[in-house]
Amino acid sequence: DNQVRLQDLLTKPSSTARERAKAVESLEEVSGYELPAILSILMHEESSGYLNIADASGDVFGLTLMKGDIVQIDSATSRETLCKVLVERGVMTEEEIKAVPASRMKGDTIKNLIEDSWLSPHMSLDIKAEQVKIELQKRITGDQLRLNYVEDRIRNNNDKVTFQHLLPLWYELA
């Protein structure tokens, strides 16, 4: 079994950031509790690529990283989570959300809401960061997760959720 143990990698003083990022690519199954460490490695190494995470029921959660920042998330619940954040933050009411044409709730919903004047551009990063935190939190459990990380060059002009944005979540978990 040549599967690298995450804790060995994090505690081995001689491992370089690049070795740690490469090791993440080789991971196939992890505990949800290991997600913060995995994300930390990819974000600190300024990796670009796609991290796909599948739980036991087959639900897939995808993160797109560009130079260590999260630029996109995709899951079965990401739209629902976004709507929840918009309502909780007082940005939109549930009635206003229902009034948004279905076609505008697909794709890059935040960008569409800005274009349609539902959302102020200066709020988009905070909304996205909160959405990412909630989606991650759902997966940071004792459950086993299948992992697939593919490095790729990402060109994306979306808001970038940085490691700093996730610090409140990391502190909450500590």
Side-chain angles (χ1 to χ4, degrees), residues 25-143:
E25 287 181 44
S26 74
L27 293 173
E28 290 172 18
E29 205 170 276
V30 297
S31 157
Y33 291 128
E34 293 175 305
L35 270 184
I38 291 163
L39 264 177
S40 296
I41 290 169
L42 294 173
M43 294 176 97
H44 282 293
E45 176 54 22
E46 297 187 359
S47 296
S48 293
Y50 304 98
L51 179 63
N52 293 306
I53 302 158
D55 65 21
S57 65
D59 284 335
V60 177
F61 172 63
L63 285 172
T64 304
L65 291 143
M66 183 178 80
K67 295 182 181 166
D69 296 331
I70 299 169
V71 291
Q72 194 174 337
I73 63 163
D74 188 31
S75 79
T77 58
S78 54
R79 195 83 53 247
E80 180 187 310
T81 302
L82 173 62
C83 293
K84 181 182 163 204
V85 171
L86 291 169
V87 171
E88 282 177 1
R89 291 281 179 100
V91 176
M92 293 175 79
T93 64
E94 286 183 28
E95 291 72 33
E96 288 170 329
I97 290 170
K98 286 183 183 119
V100 176
S103 64
R104 302 303 280 164
M105 292 301 281
K106 289 182 170 66
D108 189 343
T109 308
I110 291 176
K111 192 171 119 196
N112 294 343
L113 292 173
I114 291 169
E115 285 173 4
D116 298 349
S117 301
W118 287 103
L119 181 63
S120 169
H122 79 275
M123 295 184 75
S124 64
L125 181 56
D126 282 344
I127 299 293
K128 185 176 189 173
E130 187 63 24
Q131 179 190 22
V132 169
K133 283 190 280 190
I134 291 169
E135 287 288 328
L136 278 173
Q137 205 160 21
K138 290 177 191 172
R139 287 151 184 96
I140 300 172
T141 67
D143 296 346

